[in-house]
Amino acid sequence: MSTPEPPLALLAELTHRCPLQCPYCSNPLALEGVEGELGTEEWCRILDEAAALGAYQVHFSGGEPALRKDLPKLVRHASAAGLYTNLITSGIPLNGEKIDALAGAGLEHVQLSLQDTLPEEADRVAKMPGAHAKKLEIARCVREAGLALTINCVFHRQNLERLDAMIELAVALGAGRLEIAHVQYYGWAIENRQALLPSRDQIEKANALIADAEARLKGVLLFDHVPPDYYARRPKACMGGWGRQFLNISPSGKALPCHAAETIPDLRFDNVRERSLADIWVESDAFRRFRGTGWMPEPCGSCDRREIDWGGCRCQALMLTGDAAQADPVCELSPDHGRILQMVKNEAGQEVPPFRYRRKAN
């Protein structure tokens, strides 16, 4: 196998601690504790190694990365290393003073999560009273600090009817970009699939609304639409392809091709405490396992889209077929595609059950 191109970005999961309990969180069910988190100097070394490897961006994420007291130091170190710095945050631990400090340290961009446009519904999903009001305050602080702002909203059957209101709110908050991310069903979301899975009618209406808004708001608001896999005819290139563009570091230092990769039980993930980032990226068995096209079964191996979607999502294949090496069953060419269609038909019309919220002991 040839030497892979450098990763585009490092996703630095600084902590799994979070003040919110969103039922679609992408963190694993087995959340890592604070006692195992990488220290400041360890993260600084990783940032240097990422820059040396050729990464362009670092996304500080979690959990809630702003719970780390050393976040300004890490931002400053990343900026000095030449990395574009982005903060993915709930906004809850922040205030104007802290945002100004991060901007002064070299932070360039903030992605702020919103759960809904209705305060009571947003707070219900986050399971935190007053969360929505605090987020709106932080959005204004981000813009006052001169930072670029993206609003992230995860959409599902319980909030998709307010997509138009979210678009207008993003414009009102001065965001330059809106990420419309439909729930990806692994981790906490798979535990809540029946409560989250929208109907086909909801999806079709949303697609039409997004197309209209993109034309109407051209030059005002950029849209990053992450469509729902279960209603697709072909899979998307998950994370740009396994081990091709993104490198995820967990709070305890495990290097992952994507944030859900630990759901695949037969993969061993190297730790940055024991092996260099460059060595892991090039030589790690976990990164090599599904990189490229050589691993692909049929119909993927001979498909003319094999270097476009790179086989789709390995974690999704595992969840839906029991085998991470199978074709992503959202693809209409997969022998398992009919099972997905039947599952969607059965679940999307069912009564909405209560959420199982994200928390360490649940």
Side-chain angles (χ1 to χ4, degrees), residues 118-304:
L118 297 177
E120 64 276 13
E121 283 299 299
D123 293 354
R124 180 179 68 87
V125 172
K127 204 168 175 59
M128 182 180 180
H132 185 69
K134 177 64 183 289
K135 288 167 175 283
L136 298 185
E137 173 193 340
I138 294 306
R140 296 184 181 97
C141 290
V142 168
R143 296 301 296 131
E144 288 172 1
L147 295 171
L149 173 65
T150 289
I151 295 298
N152 287 358
C153 187
V154 176
F155 282 94
H156 47 85
R157 70 186 295 182
Q158 299 190 44
N159 70 354
L160 199 50
E161 303 302 327
R162 291 179 290 282
L163 172 57
D164 54 346
M166 183 61 72
I167 292 170
E168 298 310 313
L169 178 58
V171 173
L173 292 173
R177 176 172 163 265
L178 173 63
E179 180 174 318
I180 300 169
H182 289 269
V183 173
Q184 306 298 300
Y185 294 99
Y186 44 72
W188 294 93
I190 199 73
E191 299 290 310
N192 290 287
R193 188 171 64 192
Q194 188 173 321
L196 297 167
L197 187 64
S199 68
R200 184 174 294 277
D201 182 62
Q202 282 183 301
I203 294 301
E204 290 175 354
K205 288 179 179 178
N207 289 343
L209 194 153
I210 292 167
D212 175 75
E214 284 181 317
R216 178 168 51 86
L217 296 171
K218 187 176 182 180
V220 176
L221 185 68
L222 293 174
F223 290 81
D224 184 2
H225 182 206
V226 183
D229 287 344
Y230 287 6
Y231 289 100
R233 294 178 58 241
R234 294 295 179 93
K236 63 179 180 291
C238 186
M239 304 297 287
W242 183 278
R244 294 191 69 253
Q245 294 187 359
F246 291 92
L247 181 63
N248 184 88
I249 306 299
S250 81
S252 65
K254 285 178 284 188
L256 310 171
C258 77
H259 41 250
E262 288 181 276
T263 60
I264 302 176
D266 61 341
L267 292 182
R268 177 187 172 275
F269 300 100
D270 290 291
N271 196 294
V272 293
R273 285 171 164 153
E274 301 164 354
R275 197 173 183 182
S276 74
L277 212 57
D279 194 31
I280 292 172
W281 178 252
V282 176
E283 299 294 343
S284 168
D285 289 341
F287 278 80
R288 290 163 60 94
R289 177 67 180 84
F290 299 115
R291 179 182 275 150
T293 60
W295 63 272
M296 292 182 179
E298 292 299 334
C300 306
S302 58
C303 180
D304 59 4

